[in-house]
């Protein structure tokens, strides 16, 4: 099974090499979709062995551009945040999950790179959400069969929470595998804003998504209080 790993990135020069290197494996093509970086993201991604594409900024647009570029050469597509690292053996775990024809896609478990007590509680809360809602976020390296993604019409285009739209779409088409092996992601946004405040804001955003609030309003609320580049996935 051929795999394409799509990494949307913007101004991620410091961490993009590690993301690309974690994704490199036999039978895997790594595509970094640059959304207008003004730093060395593209050059460093290329040096690390990725194919680099250009796209308009916006995670959903960049994900879609990467999925299209992967084309018929990929049987499965994995979407990786630029601040997330895949575990050793991830490709074999993905292939084993998709060996079951009823499985349309899946995601990995998650752990934070920073090991602090408050973040352990966040990890526990994430596991509880998965158990109750079966709803992973995009930083858990969501993957999907290319045929299933085509049935969905590609990556859902939304200004925020496109990852949840994609997960729900995959689940409508077939089984969804939650793998035991964990990706490692940065907790910087929790540490910058405060763990409790970030959890509360994410919970409100999830509630707004569940209630079907206008996505543009939800994005404006969520990003209006963020400092820095709202599209940036930090490395």
């Amino acid at each position: 099974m051929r795999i394409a790993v799509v990494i949307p990135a913007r101004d991620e020069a410091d961490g993009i090499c590690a993301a690309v290197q974690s994704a490199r494996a036999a039978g895997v093509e790594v595509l970094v979709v640059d959304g207008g970086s003004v730093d060395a993201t593209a050059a460093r991604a290329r040096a690390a062995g990725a194919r680099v594409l250009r796209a308009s900024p916006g995670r959903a647009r960049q994900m879609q551009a990467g999925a299209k570029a992967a084309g018929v050469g990929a049987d499965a597509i994995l979407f990786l945040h630029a601040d997330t690292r895949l575990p050793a053996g991830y490709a074999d775990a993905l292939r084993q999950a998709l060996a079951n024809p009823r499985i349309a896609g899946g995601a990995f478990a998650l752990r934070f790179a920073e090991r602090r007590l408050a973040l352990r509680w966040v990890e526990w809360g994430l596991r509880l959400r998965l158990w109750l809602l079966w709803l992973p976020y995009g930083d858990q390296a969501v993957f999907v069969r290319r045929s299933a993604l085509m049935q969905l019409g590609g990556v859902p285009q939304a200004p925020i929470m496109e990852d949840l739209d994609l997960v729900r779409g995959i689940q409508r088409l077939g089984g969804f595998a939650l793998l035991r092996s964990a990706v490692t992601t940065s907790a910087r946004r929790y540490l910058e804003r405060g763990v409790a405040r970030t959890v509360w804001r994410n919970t409100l955003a999830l509630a707004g998504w569940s209630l079907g609030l206008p996505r543009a309003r939800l994005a404006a609320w969520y990003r209006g209080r963020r400092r820095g580049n709202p599209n940036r996935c930090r490395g």
Side-chain angles (χ1 to χ4, degrees):
M1 178 176 288
R2 299 161 298 178
I3 302 168
V5 175
V6 173
I7 308 175
R10 186 179 180 189
D11 295 335
E12 293 292 343
D14 290 343
I16 194 63
C17 289
V20 171
Q21 289 165 359
S22 77
R24 294 185 64 184
V28 176
E29 181 183 24
V30 184
L31 301 94
V32 170
V33 186
D34 187 86
S37 296
V38 297
D39 63 7
T41 295
R44 292 184 182 180
R46 196 175 289 112
R51 176 153 66 111
V52 177
L53 313 170
R54 303 283 184 175
S56 300
R59 195 185 302 266
R61 287 189 291 269
Q62 292 169 250
M63 290 167 64
Q64 178 72 339
K68 284 185 176 180
V72 295
D75 301 302
I77 298 173
L78 182 152
F79 297 103
L80 180 67
H81 285 194
D83 62 351
T84 302
R85 314 294 178 243
L86 290 164
Y90 83 90
D92 291 337
L94 184 156
R95 291 185 177 109
Q96 184 175 358
L98 294 184
N100 182 343
R102 294 177 295 179
I103 299 296
F108 291 77
L110 180 143
R111 71 188 297 274
F112 290 114
E114 301 85 352
R115 306 311 294 163
R116 301 189 184 185
L117 181 59
L119 296 174
R120 300 283 183 91
W121 281 104
V122 176
E123 290 175 349
W124 181 86
L126 294 175
R127 290 193 291 270
L128 178 62
R129 188 193 71 232
L130 287 175
W131 182 70
L132 292 174
L133 302 177
W134 208 256
L135 193 63
Y137 285 146
D139 52 10
Q140 292 179 239
V142 174
F143 59 89
V144 59
R145 292 185 190 274
R146 178 179 169 273
S147 57
L149 189 62
M150 290 180 64
Q151 283 184 261
L152 292 173
V155 177
Q157 295 299 293
I160 193 171
M161 303 190 112
E162 74 291 326
D163 51 351
L164 300 186
D165 294 337
L166 177 60
V167 166
R168 281 297 188 233
I170 296 170
Q171 291 171 344
R172 287 194 297 269
L173 294 177
F176 193 90
L178 291 175
L179 305 188
R180 291 185 177 181
S181 53
V183 299
T184 302
T185 194
S186 171
R188 183 172 179 176
R189 68 184 186 274
Y190 286 91
L191 300 178
E192 285 180 342
R193 304 178 197 150
V195 173
R197 181 185 179 198
T198 302
V199 169
W200 177 241
R201 285 169 54 75
N202 289 347
T203 301
L204 290 178
L206 177 61
W209 174 83
S210 301
L211 293 170
L213 296 183
R215 205 65 62 85
R217 282 183 54 194
L218 194 59
W221 169 79
Y222 190 80
R223 292 173 175 163
R225 293 165 177 81
R226 290 183 64 176
R227 292 181 295 177
N229 183 352
N231 185 57
R232 186 177 181 184
C233 26
R234 302 178 189 274

